[in-house]
């Protein structure tokens, strides 16, 4: 929580490629009096912003230091290779690292994939950013391997992408300093986990006075006693099907008259 007690706010940082719009919309619906300040930061800068208390929580890429951060993994992205529209690999639906053996594979300094052995041939120099690497791909200098969201973020009409199998993947998580789990952080955790506003694990609104269980009491109908049971069709008790014979009536087949 930031600001004065009279005007709290919630500060969320997120990394490129992550789309927090849905969660922000739900927050604004549930917390109209608590502004959410949203800031995009480079993937490598998110942890520092959280540790410096410049943000309450962040949508970051794993891994994070679990000795100081709490983290909830949200999803894992597909890895793709970005190529020019006329590249040979556009003829297939999926690419293997061996298919890139003759290509220069660009490796930007802000790469978020944990490579043990980058496929293809290395470039003479590493681009500073993913955006710079995309420009080089468009110029025919090489190809680029990134999470799908970054390929979409830097989409160009002269470029396309294909899934790359047997490649590292990037996972996105909600993270926050372990010693700063505030009520507002808990509220946002509930949102990203899909909890309802009245979830038992979230902060619930005050219950109606005189109704400790939070249920809704049925208002009595005029003329009905408090102990009356609901009735079914025809005024019969709702606890019976109503298919039996009337009281005092005969059961079974009617007798024929001789």
């Amino acid at each position: 929580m930031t600001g004065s007690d009279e005007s709290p706010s919630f500060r969320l940082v997120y990394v490129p490629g992550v789309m927090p719009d849905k969660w922000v919309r739900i927050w604004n619906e549930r917390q109209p009096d608590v502004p959410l300040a949203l800031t995009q930061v480079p993937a490598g800068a998110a942890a520092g912003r959280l540790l410096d208390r410049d943000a309450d929580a962040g949508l970051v890429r794993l891994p994070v230091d679990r000795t100081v951060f709490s983290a909830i993994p949200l999803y894992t992205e597909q890895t793709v290779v970005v190529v020019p529209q006329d590249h040979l690999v556009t003829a297939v639906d999926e690419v293997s690292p061996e298919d890139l053996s003759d290509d220069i594979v660009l490796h930007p300094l802000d790469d978020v994939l944990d490579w043990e052995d980058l496929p293809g041939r290395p470039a003479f120099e590493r681009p500073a950013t993913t955006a710079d690497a995309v420009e080089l791909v468009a110029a025919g200098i090489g190809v680029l391997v990134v999470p799908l969201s970054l390929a979409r973020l830097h989409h160009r009409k002269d470029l396309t992408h294909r899934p790359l199998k047997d490649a590292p993947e990037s996972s996105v998580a909600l993270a926050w300093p372990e010693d700063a789990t505030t009520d507002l952080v808990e509220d946002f955790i509930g949102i990203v986990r899909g909890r309802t506003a009245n979830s038992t694990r979230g902060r619930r609104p005050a219950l109606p006075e005189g109704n400790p269980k939070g249920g809704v009491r049925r208002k009595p109908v005029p003329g009905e006693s408090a102990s009356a049971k609901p009735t079914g069709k025809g005024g019969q008790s709702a606890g019976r099907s109503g298919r039996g014979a009337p009281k005092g009536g005969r059961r079974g087949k009617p007798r024929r008259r001789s």
Side-chain angles (χ1 to χ4, degrees):
M1 185 183 298
T2 60
S4 65
D5 293 339
E6 292 78 14
S7 56
S9 64
F10 184 69
R11 299 166 302 169
L12 181 72
V13 294
Y14 69 103
V15 298
V18 175
M19 303 297 290
D21 302 25
K22 174 183 176 181
W23 298 318
V24 172
R25 175 177 54 79
I26 296 173
W27 175 276
N28 291 334
E29 291 171 355
R30 295 185 186 178
Q31 300 277 10
D33 298 326
V34 183
L36 191 154
L38 195 62
T39 306
Q40 180 175 289
V41 298
R49 296 290 291 269
L50 293 172
L51 289 176
D52 291 341
R53 300 299 195 266
D54 291 332
D56 300 293
L59 296 169
V60 305
R61 293 191 181 274
L62 295 177
V64 295
D65 185 352
R66 298 303 290 266
T67 64
V68 293
F69 290 111
S70 294
I72 299 173
L74 301 177
Y75 58 88
T76 298
E77 290 195 63
Q78 183 182 55
T79 300
V80 301
V81 55
V82 179
V83 298
Q85 289 279 6
D86 58 355
H87 196 281
L88 290 175
V89 301
T90 59
V92 298
D93 294 329
E94 188 178 57
V95 182
S96 69
E98 291 75 22
D99 295 330
L100 305 177
S101 59
D102 294 332
D103 288 283
I104 293 176
V105 177
L106 301 166
H107 192 199
L109 295 176
D110 63 354
D111 181 36
V112 296
L113 298 173
D114 186 17
W115 288 100
E116 289 187 5
D117 187 15
L118 192 71
R121 297 184 292 127
F124 178 74
E125 186 177 356
R126 293 183 64 180
T129 66
T130 297
D132 293 335
V134 169
E135 294 292 332
L136 294 176
V137 175
I141 303 299
V143 301
L144 175 65
V145 179
V146 290
L148 178 58
S149 66
L150 291 182
R152 289 173 173 169
L153 178 65
H154 298 288
H155 172 71
R156 292 173 50 122
K157 292 183 178 180
D158 53 348
L159 301 179
T160 188
H161 59 265
R162 290 292 185 272
L164 180 65
K165 60 183 181 180
D166 301 326
E169 295 176 320
S170 176
S171 296
V172 173
L174 174 67
W176 65 96
E178 195 172 46
D179 59 353
T181 308
T182 64
D183 286 341
L184 294 182
V185 170
E186 289 283 5
D187 288 338
F188 197 78
I189 291 171
I191 289 173
V192 300
R193 281 186 161 169
R195 297 177 194 156
T196 64
N198 294 326
S199 169
T200 56
R201 297 190 65 182
R203 289 191 297 161
R204 59 171 72 181
L207 298 175
E209 186 177 355
N211 191 6
K213 292 186 178 180
V216 178
R217 292 181 177 175
R218 177 174 173 267
K219 294 182 179 180
V221 177
E224 179 186 64
S225 66
S227 60
K229 294 183 179 180
T231 57
K233 186 176 181 180
Q236 295 171 335
S237 171
R240 298 182 178 270
S241 64
R243 294 179 182 175
K247 185 175 181 181
R250 295 181 177 179
R251 297 173 182 251
K253 296 181 180 180
R255 295 180 179 179
R256 291 185 179 180
R257 294 182 179 179
S258 56

